Amino acid sequence: MALLISACTEDQPPPRERRAARYPAPEATADAPPTQQPFNPNAPPESTDTTAQAPAATPPPTTKAAKGDYPYGTPVPGKPGFVKSPYAADQGLVDVRGFPPGTEVKDPFTNKIFLVP
């Protein structure tokens, strides 16, 4: 019977040199013109007319309902922190633990807002 023992050694690559990056290079900024930025199709169009000003944008009307306009969830007896949705009472229970009463929550079944009782 022959027994062969050998050691595996791997040569480690030499460590890389680290150089500090300098942006922008001092000699390039003194004489070179600024570089042009790439085209951005989502950017607003540039206006070459400086005398005309764009009309002030009016904010869109808010359609958010007041808190009193949302219905309340129905508490589930024997299960504190769980309510039935006013929009989908048959679908299941909604976990509202950690939300104080009167907080707006989103019904996971219909994505409508209701209030925590």
Side-chain angles (χ1 to χ4, degrees), residues 48-117:
T48 56
D49 185 15
T50 58
T51 58
Q53 292 185 356
T58 58
T62 58
T63 57
K64 186 174 181 177
K67 255 190 179 178
D69 294 342
Y70 294 124
Y72 281 87
T74 307
V76 178
K79 294 195 175 193
F82 289 89
V83 297
K84 289 185 181 181
S85 167
Y87 304 110
D90 309 4
Q91 294 292 320
L93 303 179
V94 180
D95 183 1
V96 293
R97 291 178 289 188
F99 291 101
T103 303
E104 297 176 0
V105 293
K106 185 183 280 190
D107 179 4
F109 307 109
T110 62
N111 291 328
K112 293 181 180 179
I113 303 293
F114 69 91
L115 300 176
V116 175

